[in-house]
Amino acid sequence: MTTHRTATPLRPGRDDRGAHVAGAATTRHPLASHVFEMAMEPVGVHVAQARRTTATVLKQWSLPDALAEDARLVVSELVSNAIIHGSGDVRLRLRHDDHELQIRVTDDSTTPARRRRAGAAGLGGRGLHLVACLSTRWGVADGGRTTYAVISTLTEGSPCRRTTQSSSDPTC
């Protein structure tokens, strides 16, 4: 699924479940980056596929297991939100450089993702809270079409995984 970047543009293909995939990676050297992209129809089964594909890609990029676990959960939440609340095909983009992993999920809806307060008995409303806890930062771009999260690769883990919580992270 991952190919080496060349001077020619990426050519999307299809995997065995019908999702469009394209990948790019560069040889690892200072300030090198790795990029992986895939597009999928807005169908619930593609959430698990995006999670599995993310795990495979991050393993190929030799990222630590704890970071990859956080990234899989973030991908799962962002892709789920795009499928449930967005419109059109869902596109996932992973980009890793020497400092951070960027996760971007794009759909055709211009309604931006927003954190909600989840009720005690409610089934929803916790996804973006989890994304906020597991990432260094998150937000919305492209006029509401893209929700992104950035996970630092320089720290030992997300604020939610640390044994002592920082006073700047009171919600995790």
Side-chain angles (χ1 to χ4, degrees), residues 20-57:
H20 298 279
V21 296
T26 59
T27 306
R28 188 80 174 141
H29 56 81
L31 300 177
S33 66
H34 301 279
V35 175
F36 175 83
E37 297 174 325
M38 69 184 274
M40 62 204 93
E41 294 176 343
V43 180
V45 296
H46 288 146
V47 175
Q49 179 188 3
R51 195 171 41 243
R52 285 189 306 270
T53 301
T54 297
T56 300
V57 168

PDB file of all heavy atoms in Angstrom, residues 20-57:
ATOM      1  N   HIS A  20     -10.117   3.800  -1.947  1.00  0.00           N
ATOM      2  CA  HIS A  20      -9.030   4.335  -2.768  1.00  0.00           C
ATOM      3  C   HIS A  20      -7.821   4.521  -1.867  1.00  0.00           C
ATOM      4  O   HIS A  20      -7.945   5.039  -0.767  1.00  0.00           O
ATOM      5  CB  HIS A  20      -9.402   5.696  -3.357  1.00  0.00           C
ATOM      6  CG  HIS A  20     -10.576   5.643  -4.252  1.00  0.00           C
ATOM      7  ND1 HIS A  20     -10.489   5.250  -5.559  1.00  0.00           N
ATOM      8  CD2 HIS A  20     -11.874   5.927  -4.034  1.00  0.00           C
ATOM      9  CE1 HIS A  20     -11.683   5.303  -6.113  1.00  0.00           C
ATOM     10  NE2 HIS A  20     -12.541   5.710  -5.203  1.00  0.00           N
ATOM     11  N   VAL A  21      -6.659   4.090  -2.316  1.00  0.00           N
ATOM     12  CA  VAL A  21      -5.455   4.259  -1.520  1.00  0.00           C
ATOM     13  C   VAL A  21      -4.331   4.801  -2.382  1.00  0.00           C
ATOM     14  O   VAL A  21      -4.223   4.516  -3.551  1.00  0.00           O
ATOM     15  CB  VAL A  21      -4.985   2.938  -0.848  1.00  0.00           C
ATOM     16  CG1 VAL A  21      -5.988   2.441   0.152  1.00  0.00           C
ATOM     17  CG2 VAL A  21      -4.696   1.869  -1.868  1.00  0.00           C
ATOM     18  N   ALA A  22      -3.525   5.614  -1.762  1.00  0.00           N
ATOM     19  CA  ALA A  22      -2.297   6.093  -2.385  1.00  0.00           C
ATOM     20  C   ALA A  22      -1.331   6.330  -1.259  1.00  0.00           C
ATOM     21  O   ALA A  22      -1.710   6.785  -0.195  1.00  0.00           O
ATOM     22  CB  ALA A  22      -2.523   7.383  -3.158  1.00  0.00           C
ATOM     23  N   GLY A  23      -0.117   5.988  -1.435  1.00  0.00           N
ATOM     24  CA  GLY A  23       0.842   6.198  -0.366  1.00  0.00           C
ATOM     25  C   GLY A  23       2.115   6.771  -0.906  1.00  0.00           C
ATOM     26  O   GLY A  23       2.422   6.643  -2.080  1.00  0.00           O
ATOM     27  N   ALA A  24       2.848   7.430  -0.043  1.00  0.00           N
ATOM     28  CA  ALA A  24       4.136   7.959  -0.431  1.00  0.00           C
ATOM     29  C   ALA A  24       5.037   7.935   0.783  1.00  0.00           C
ATOM     30  O   ALA A  24       4.596   8.173   1.882  1.00  0.00           O
ATOM     31  CB  ALA A  24       4.012   9.379  -0.951  1.00  0.00           C
ATOM     32  N   ALA A  25       6.263   7.633   0.580  1.00  0.00           N
ATOM     33  CA  ALA A  25       7.234   7.669   1.663  1.00  0.00           C
ATOM     34  C   ALA A  25       8.551   8.114   1.066  1.00  0.00           C
ATOM     35  O   ALA A  25       8.832   7.872  -0.101  1.00  0.00           O
ATOM     36  CB  ALA A  25       7.389   6.290   2.304  1.00  0.00           C
ATOM     37  N   THR A  26       9.339   8.753   1.850  1.00  0.00           N
ATOM     38  CA  THR A  26      10.667   9.129   1.401  1.00  0.00           C
ATOM     39  C   THR A  26      11.670   8.381   2.249  1.00  0.00           C
ATOM     40  O   THR A  26      11.355   7.886   3.314  1.00  0.00           O
ATOM     41  CB  THR A  26      10.902  10.650   1.544  1.00  0.00           C
ATOM     42  OG1 THR A  26      10.747  10.993   2.911  1.00  0.00           O
ATOM     43  CG2 THR A  26       9.945  11.441   0.691  1.00  0.00           C
ATOM     44  N   THR A  27      12.878   8.288   1.773  1.00  0.00           N
ATOM     45  CA  THR A  27      13.931   7.664   2.548  1.00  0.00           C
ATOM     46  C   THR A  27      14.156   8.476   3.811  1.00  0.00           C
ATOM     47  O   THR A  27      14.136   9.692   3.779  1.00  0.00           O
ATOM     48  CB  THR A  27      15.228   7.613   1.714  1.00  0.00           C
ATOM     49  OG1 THR A  27      14.930   6.975   0.480  1.00  0.00           O
ATOM     50  CG2 THR A  27      16.317   6.877   2.445  1.00  0.00           C
ATOM     51  N   ARG A  28      14.357   7.824   4.929  1.00  0.00           N
ATOM     52  CA  ARG A  28      14.494   8.497   6.216  1.00  0.00           C
ATOM     53  C   ARG A  28      15.833   9.221   6.296  1.00  0.00           C
ATOM     54  O   ARG A  28      16.884   8.631   6.180  1.00  0.00           O
ATOM     55  CB  ARG A  28      14.390   7.450   7.334  1.00  0.00           C
ATOM     56  CG  ARG A  28      14.326   8.031   8.682  1.00  0.00           C
ATOM     57  CD  ARG A  28      12.911   8.497   8.920  1.00  0.00           C
ATOM     58  NE  ARG A  28      12.853   8.934  10.293  1.00  0.00           N
ATOM     59  CZ  ARG A  28      12.180   9.980  10.679  1.00  0.00           C
ATOM     60  NH1 ARG A  28      11.478  10.668   9.837  1.00  0.00           N
ATOM     61  NH2 ARG A  28      12.170  10.324  11.939  1.00  0.00           N
ATOM     62  N   HIS A  29      15.802  10.518   6.478  1.00  0.00           N
ATOM     63  CA  HIS A  29      16.969  11.347   6.732  1.00  0.00           C
ATOM     64  C   HIS A  29      16.461  12.598   7.433  1.00  0.00           C
ATOM     65  O   HIS A  29      15.262  12.817   7.507  1.00  0.00           O
ATOM     66  CB  HIS A  29      17.740  11.675   5.449  1.00  0.00           C
ATOM     67  CG  HIS A  29      16.930  12.329   4.390  1.00  0.00           C
ATOM     68  ND1 HIS A  29      16.645  13.682   4.378  1.00  0.00           N
ATOM     69  CD2 HIS A  29      16.325  11.819   3.293  1.00  0.00           C
ATOM     70  CE1 HIS A  29      15.918  13.974   3.331  1.00  0.00           C
ATOM     71  NE2 HIS A  29      15.699  12.872   2.657  1.00  0.00           N
ATOM     72  N   PRO A  30      17.316  13.446   7.972  1.00  0.00           N
ATOM     73  CA  PRO A  30      16.831  14.605   8.711  1.00  0.00           C
ATOM     74  C   PRO A  30      15.813  15.410   7.901  1.00  0.00           C
ATOM     75  O   PRO A  30      15.994  15.657   6.714  1.00  0.00           O
ATOM     76  CB  PRO A  30      18.104  15.419   8.966  1.00  0.00           C
ATOM     77  CG  PRO A  30      19.192  14.399   8.954  1.00  0.00           C
ATOM     78  CD  PRO A  30      18.758  13.377   7.935  1.00  0.00           C
ATOM     79  N   LEU A  31      14.731  15.761   8.561  1.00  0.00           N
ATOM     80  CA  LEU A  31      13.638  16.533   7.993  1.00  0.00           C
ATOM     81  C   LEU A  31      12.900  15.809   6.873  1.00  0.00           C
ATOM     82  O   LEU A  31      12.138  16.418   6.137  1.00  0.00           O
ATOM     83  CB  LEU A  31      14.114  17.913   7.531  1.00  0.00           C
ATOM     84  CG  LEU A  31      14.715  18.781   8.624  1.00  0.00           C
ATOM     85  CD1 LEU A  31      15.200  20.083   8.035  1.00  0.00           C
ATOM     86  CD2 LEU A  31      13.750  19.030   9.757  1.00  0.00           C
ATOM     87  N   ALA A  32      13.103  14.511   6.746  1.00  0.00           N
ATOM     88  CA  ALA A  32      12.338  13.736   5.774  1.00  0.00           C
ATOM     89  C   ALA A  32      10.915  13.589   6.294  1.00  0.00           C
ATOM     90  O   ALA A  32      10.667  13.688   7.476  1.00  0.00           O
ATOM     91  CB  ALA A  32      12.962  12.353   5.581  1.00  0.00           C
ATOM     92  N   SER A  33       9.998  13.336   5.399  1.00  0.00           N
ATOM     93  CA  SER A  33       8.648  13.091   5.852  1.00  0.00           C
ATOM     94  C   SER A  33       8.068  11.897   5.114  1.00  0.00           C
ATOM     95  O   SER A  33       8.509  11.535   4.035  1.00  0.00           O
ATOM     96  CB  SER A  33       7.769  14.330   5.641  1.00  0.00           C
ATOM     97  OG  SER A  33       7.621  14.593   4.273  1.00  0.00           O
ATOM     98  N   HIS A  34       7.099  11.305   5.755  1.00  0.00           N
ATOM     99  CA  HIS A  34       6.350  10.195   5.197  1.00  0.00           C
ATOM    100  C   HIS A  34       4.914  10.667   5.046  1.00  0.00           C
ATOM    101  O   HIS A  34       4.395  11.334   5.941  1.00  0.00           O
ATOM    102  CB  HIS A  34       6.377   8.988   6.131  1.00  0.00           C
ATOM    103  CG  HIS A  34       7.743   8.477   6.434  1.00  0.00           C
ATOM    104  ND1 HIS A  34       8.424   7.649   5.583  1.00  0.00           N
ATOM    105  CD2 HIS A  34       8.555   8.678   7.490  1.00  0.00           C
ATOM    106  CE1 HIS A  34       9.599   7.343   6.120  1.00  0.00           C
ATOM    107  NE2 HIS A  34       9.700   7.965   7.273  1.00  0.00           N
ATOM    108  N   VAL A  35       4.263  10.275   3.972  1.00  0.00           N
ATOM    109  CA  VAL A  35       2.879  10.654   3.745  1.00  0.00           C
ATOM    110  C   VAL A  35       2.109   9.429   3.269  1.00  0.00           C
ATOM    111  O   VAL A  35       2.603   8.665   2.432  1.00  0.00           O
ATOM    112  CB  VAL A  35       2.764  11.779   2.689  1.00  0.00           C
ATOM    113  CG1 VAL A  35       1.309  12.080   2.373  1.00  0.00           C
ATOM    114  CG2 VAL A  35       3.478  13.026   3.147  1.00  0.00           C
ATOM    115  N   PHE A  36       0.925   9.247   3.811  1.00  0.00           N
ATOM    116  CA  PHE A  36       0.022   8.193   3.353  1.00  0.00           C
ATOM    117  C   PHE A  36      -1.360   8.816   3.207  1.00  0.00           C
ATOM    118  O   PHE A  36      -1.791   9.584   4.064  1.00  0.00           O
ATOM    119  CB  PHE A  36      -0.047   7.037   4.352  1.00  0.00           C
ATOM    120  CG  PHE A  36      -1.062   6.006   3.959  1.00  0.00           C
ATOM    121  CD1 PHE A  36      -0.738   5.024   3.050  1.00  0.00           C
ATOM    122  CD2 PHE A  36      -2.344   6.058   4.469  1.00  0.00           C
ATOM    123  CE1 PHE A  36      -1.688   4.087   2.647  1.00  0.00           C
ATOM    124  CE2 PHE A  36      -3.299   5.127   4.080  1.00  0.00           C
ATOM    125  CZ  PHE A  36      -2.971   4.143   3.169  1.00  0.00           C
ATOM    126  N   GLU A  37      -2.060   8.479   2.133  1.00  0.00           N
ATOM    127  CA  GLU A  37      -3.407   8.988   1.903  1.00  0.00           C
ATOM    128  C   GLU A  37      -4.313   7.856   1.440  1.00  0.00           C
ATOM    129  O   GLU A  37      -3.871   6.960   0.718  1.00  0.00           O
ATOM    130  CB  GLU A  37      -3.401  10.084   0.838  1.00  0.00           C
ATOM    131  CG  GLU A  37      -2.611  11.300   1.252  1.00  0.00           C
ATOM    132  CD  GLU A  37      -2.488  12.326   0.142  1.00  0.00           C
ATOM    133  OE1 GLU A  37      -2.383  11.915  -1.036  1.00  0.00           O
ATOM    134  OE2 GLU A  37      -2.500  13.525   0.459  1.00  0.00           O
ATOM    135  N   MET A  38      -5.562   7.915   1.856  1.00  0.00           N
ATOM    136  CA  MET A  38      -6.569   6.994   1.342  1.00  0.00           C
ATOM    137  C   MET A  38      -7.916   7.692   1.349  1.00  0.00           C
ATOM    138  O   MET A  38      -8.139   8.613   2.135  1.00  0.00           O
ATOM    139  CB  MET A  38      -6.620   5.683   2.127  1.00  0.00           C
ATOM    140  CG  MET A  38      -7.145   5.774   3.539  1.00  0.00           C
ATOM    141  SD  MET A  38      -7.061   4.206   4.436  1.00  0.00           S
ATOM    142  CE  MET A  38      -8.579   3.424   3.956  1.00  0.00           C
ATOM    143  N   ALA A  39      -8.779   7.283   0.443  1.00  0.00           N
ATOM    144  CA  ALA A  39     -10.136   7.809   0.367  1.00  0.00           C
ATOM    145  C   ALA A  39     -11.089   6.627   0.457  1.00  0.00           C
ATOM    146  O   ALA A  39     -10.769   5.529   0.002  1.00  0.00           O
ATOM    147  CB  ALA A  39     -10.349   8.573  -0.930  1.00  0.00           C
ATOM    148  N   MET A  40     -12.240   6.872   1.074  1.00  0.00           N
ATOM    149  CA  MET A  40     -13.202   5.787   1.244  1.00  0.00           C
ATOM    150  C   MET A  40     -14.618   6.326   1.162  1.00  0.00           C
ATOM    151  O   MET A  40     -14.852   7.513   1.415  1.00  0.00           O
ATOM    152  CB  MET A  40     -12.968   5.082   2.582  1.00  0.00           C
ATOM    153  CG  MET A  40     -13.161   5.972   3.798  1.00  0.00           C
ATOM    154  SD  MET A  40     -12.267   5.432   5.257  1.00  0.00           S
ATOM    155  CE  MET A  40     -10.771   6.379   5.052  1.00  0.00           C
ATOM    156  N   GLU A  41     -15.519   5.463   0.783  1.00  0.00           N
ATOM    157  CA  GLU A  41     -16.928   5.829   0.810  1.00  0.00           C
ATOM    158  C   GLU A  41     -17.350   5.967   2.264  1.00  0.00           C
ATOM    159  O   GLU A  41     -16.779   5.316   3.147  1.00  0.00           O
ATOM    160  CB  GLU A  41     -17.756   4.758   0.107  1.00  0.00           C
ATOM    161  CG  GLU A  41     -17.465   4.661  -1.377  1.00  0.00           C
ATOM    162  CD  GLU A  41     -18.230   3.525  -2.039  1.00  0.00           C
ATOM    163  OE1 GLU A  41     -18.728   2.624  -1.333  1.00  0.00           O
ATOM    164  OE2 GLU A  41     -18.315   3.551  -3.273  1.00  0.00           O
ATOM    165  N   PRO A  42     -18.363   6.792   2.545  1.00  0.00           N
ATOM    166  CA  PRO A  42     -18.785   7.002   3.936  1.00  0.00           C
ATOM    167  C   PRO A  42     -19.634   5.845   4.478  1.00  0.00           C
ATOM    168  O   PRO A  42     -20.838   5.960   4.679  1.00  0.00           O
ATOM    169  CB  PRO A  42     -19.580   8.312   3.859  1.00  0.00           C
ATOM    170  CG  PRO A  42     -20.114   8.337   2.470  1.00  0.00           C
ATOM    171  CD  PRO A  42     -19.071   7.671   1.613  1.00  0.00           C
ATOM    172  N   VAL A  43     -18.973   4.724   4.681  1.00  0.00           N
ATOM    173  CA  VAL A  43     -19.627   3.508   5.167  1.00  0.00           C
ATOM    174  C   VAL A  43     -18.934   3.092   6.462  1.00  0.00           C
ATOM    175  O   VAL A  43     -17.698   3.098   6.542  1.00  0.00           O
ATOM    176  CB  VAL A  43     -19.522   2.379   4.110  1.00  0.00           C
ATOM    177  CG1 VAL A  43     -20.195   1.109   4.593  1.00  0.00           C
ATOM    178  CG2 VAL A  43     -20.099   2.834   2.783  1.00  0.00           C
ATOM    179  N   GLY A  44     -19.707   2.727   7.455  1.00  0.00           N
ATOM    180  CA  GLY A  44     -19.181   2.412   8.788  1.00  0.00           C
ATOM    181  C   GLY A  44     -18.057   1.387   8.821  1.00  0.00           C
ATOM    182  O   GLY A  44     -17.150   1.507   9.637  1.00  0.00           O
ATOM    183  N   VAL A  45     -18.080   0.390   7.949  1.00  0.00           N
ATOM    184  CA  VAL A  45     -17.030  -0.632   7.968  1.00  0.00           C
ATOM    185  C   VAL A  45     -15.660  -0.043   7.638  1.00  0.00           C
ATOM    186  O   VAL A  45     -14.636  -0.630   7.979  1.00  0.00           O
ATOM    187  CB  VAL A  45     -17.330  -1.816   7.018  1.00  0.00           C
ATOM    188  CG1 VAL A  45     -18.579  -2.551   7.461  1.00  0.00           C
ATOM    189  CG2 VAL A  45     -17.429  -1.374   5.584  1.00  0.00           C
ATOM    190  N   HIS A  46     -15.632   1.116   7.006  1.00  0.00           N
ATOM    191  CA  HIS A  46     -14.355   1.718   6.651  1.00  0.00           C
ATOM    192  C   HIS A  46     -13.632   2.324   7.853  1.00  0.00           C
ATOM    193  O   HIS A  46     -12.436   2.594   7.772  1.00  0.00           O
ATOM    194  CB  HIS A  46     -14.536   2.750   5.539  1.00  0.00           C
ATOM    195  CG  HIS A  46     -14.831   2.107   4.218  1.00  0.00           C
ATOM    196  ND1 HIS A  46     -15.643   2.677   3.297  1.00  0.00           N
ATOM    197  CD2 HIS A  46     -14.424   0.933   3.686  1.00  0.00           C
ATOM    198  CE1 HIS A  46     -15.730   1.878   2.235  1.00  0.00           C
ATOM    199  NE2 HIS A  46     -14.991   0.816   2.464  1.00  0.00           N
ATOM    200  N   VAL A  47     -14.329   2.509   8.966  1.00  0.00           N
ATOM    201  CA  VAL A  47     -13.656   2.996  10.179  1.00  0.00           C
ATOM    202  C   VAL A  47     -12.627   1.967  10.635  1.00  0.00           C
ATOM    203  O   VAL A  47     -11.465   2.305  10.885  1.00  0.00           O
ATOM    204  CB  VAL A  47     -14.666   3.300  11.302  1.00  0.00           C
ATOM    205  CG1 VAL A  47     -13.949   3.695  12.591  1.00  0.00           C
ATOM    206  CG2 VAL A  47     -15.634   4.393  10.873  1.00  0.00           C
ATOM    207  N   ALA A  48     -13.029   0.725  10.723  1.00  0.00           N
ATOM    208  CA  ALA A  48     -12.102  -0.339  11.132  1.00  0.00           C
ATOM    209  C   ALA A  48     -10.979  -0.499  10.122  1.00  0.00           C
ATOM    210  O   ALA A  48      -9.817  -0.721  10.489  1.00  0.00           O
ATOM    211  CB  ALA A  48     -12.857  -1.653  11.313  1.00  0.00           C
ATOM    212  N   GLN A  49     -11.306  -0.367   8.843  1.00  0.00           N
ATOM    213  CA  GLN A  49     -10.279  -0.476   7.812  1.00  0.00           C
ATOM    214  C   GLN A  49      -9.265   0.655   7.950  1.00  0.00           C
ATOM    215  O   GLN A  49      -8.061   0.433   7.837  1.00  0.00           O
ATOM    216  CB  GLN A  49     -10.913  -0.447   6.430  1.00  0.00           C
ATOM    217  CG  GLN A  49      -9.886  -0.525   5.332  1.00  0.00           C
ATOM    218  CD  GLN A  49     -10.487  -0.308   3.959  1.00  0.00           C
ATOM    219  OE1 GLN A  49     -11.662  -0.047   3.826  1.00  0.00           O
ATOM    220  NE2 GLN A  49      -9.652  -0.419   2.946  1.00  0.00           N
ATOM    221  N   ALA A  50      -9.727   1.880   8.198  1.00  0.00           N
ATOM    222  CA  ALA A  50      -8.816   3.018   8.372  1.00  0.00           C
ATOM    223  C   ALA A  50      -7.929   2.800   9.591  1.00  0.00           C
ATOM    224  O   ALA A  50      -6.733   3.109   9.567  1.00  0.00           O
ATOM    225  CB  ALA A  50      -9.609   4.306   8.507  1.00  0.00           C
ATOM    226  N   ARG A  51      -8.491   2.254  10.652  1.00  0.00           N
ATOM    227  CA  ARG A  51      -7.721   1.972  11.867  1.00  0.00           C
ATOM    228  C   ARG A  51      -6.637   0.920  11.586  1.00  0.00           C
ATOM    229  O   ARG A  51      -5.481   1.099  11.969  1.00  0.00           O
ATOM    230  CB  ARG A  51      -8.692   1.504  12.957  1.00  0.00           C
ATOM    231  CG  ARG A  51      -8.144   1.498  14.339  1.00  0.00           C
ATOM    232  CD  ARG A  51      -9.204   1.225  15.397  1.00  0.00           C
ATOM    233  NE  ARG A  51     -10.165   0.192  15.043  1.00  0.00           N
ATOM    234  CZ  ARG A  51     -11.473   0.415  14.890  1.00  0.00           C
ATOM    235  NH1 ARG A  51     -11.982   1.607  15.035  1.00  0.00           N
ATOM    236  NH2 ARG A  51     -12.279  -0.588  14.585  1.00  0.00           N
ATOM    237  N   ARG A  52      -7.004  -0.164  10.908  1.00  0.00           N
ATOM    238  CA  ARG A  52      -6.027  -1.218  10.585  1.00  0.00           C
ATOM    239  C   ARG A  52      -4.945  -0.700   9.647  1.00  0.00           C
ATOM    240  O   ARG A  52      -3.758  -0.995   9.818  1.00  0.00           O
ATOM    241  CB  ARG A  52      -6.727  -2.418   9.941  1.00  0.00           C
ATOM    242  CG  ARG A  52      -7.499  -3.287  10.893  1.00  0.00           C
ATOM    243  CD  ARG A  52      -7.970  -4.570  10.224  1.00  0.00           C
ATOM    244  NE  ARG A  52      -8.738  -4.334   9.006  1.00  0.00           N
ATOM    245  CZ  ARG A  52     -10.061  -4.186   8.957  1.00  0.00           C
ATOM    246  NH1 ARG A  52     -10.758  -4.251  10.063  1.00  0.00           N
ATOM    247  NH2 ARG A  52     -10.665  -3.994   7.805  1.00  0.00           N
ATOM    248  N   THR A  53      -5.349   0.068   8.646  1.00  0.00           N
ATOM    249  CA  THR A  53      -4.388   0.610   7.688  1.00  0.00           C
ATOM    250  C   THR A  53      -3.422   1.557   8.384  1.00  0.00           C
ATOM    251  O   THR A  53      -2.217   1.525   8.129  1.00  0.00           O
ATOM    252  CB  THR A  53      -5.128   1.325   6.536  1.00  0.00           C
ATOM    253  OG1 THR A  53      -5.997   0.382   5.906  1.00  0.00           O
ATOM    254  CG2 THR A  53      -4.159   1.890   5.521  1.00  0.00           C
ATOM    255  N   THR A  54      -3.940   2.387   9.281  1.00  0.00           N
ATOM    256  CA  THR A  54      -3.083   3.293  10.054  1.00  0.00           C
ATOM    257  C   THR A  54      -2.060   2.505  10.854  1.00  0.00           C
ATOM    258  O   THR A  54      -0.876   2.849  10.867  1.00  0.00           O
ATOM    259  CB  THR A  54      -3.940   4.181  10.984  1.00  0.00           C
ATOM    260  OG1 THR A  54      -4.781   5.000  10.172  1.00  0.00           O
ATOM    261  CG2 THR A  54      -3.076   5.045  11.878  1.00  0.00           C
ATOM    262  N   ALA A  55      -2.489   1.440  11.498  1.00  0.00           N
ATOM    263  CA  ALA A  55      -1.562   0.612  12.280  1.00  0.00           C
ATOM    264  C   ALA A  55      -0.455   0.060  11.388  1.00  0.00           C
ATOM    265  O   ALA A  55       0.731   0.092  11.764  1.00  0.00           O
ATOM    266  CB  ALA A  55      -2.321  -0.530  12.957  1.00  0.00           C
ATOM    267  N   THR A  56      -0.809  -0.411  10.216  1.00  0.00           N
ATOM    268  CA  THR A  56       0.180  -0.968   9.289  1.00  0.00           C
ATOM    269  C   THR A  56       1.169   0.095   8.825  1.00  0.00           C
ATOM    270  O   THR A  56       2.384  -0.126   8.824  1.00  0.00           O
ATOM    271  CB  THR A  56      -0.532  -1.596   8.073  1.00  0.00           C
ATOM    272  OG1 THR A  56      -1.393  -2.635   8.533  1.00  0.00           O
ATOM    273  CG2 THR A  56       0.463  -2.153   7.083  1.00  0.00           C
ATOM    274  N   VAL A  57       0.652   1.259   8.444  1.00  0.00           N
ATOM    275  CA  VAL A  57       1.513   2.342   7.957  1.00  0.00           C
ATOM    276  C   VAL A  57       2.461   2.808   9.058  1.00  0.00           C
ATOM    277  O   VAL A  57       3.667   2.974   8.825  1.00  0.00           O
ATOM    278  CB  VAL A  57       0.660   3.512   7.419  1.00  0.00           C
ATOM    279  CG1 VAL A  57       1.504   4.750   7.175  1.00  0.00           C
ATOM    280  CG2 VAL A  57      -0.064   3.085   6.151  1.00  0.00           C
TER     281      VAL A  57
END
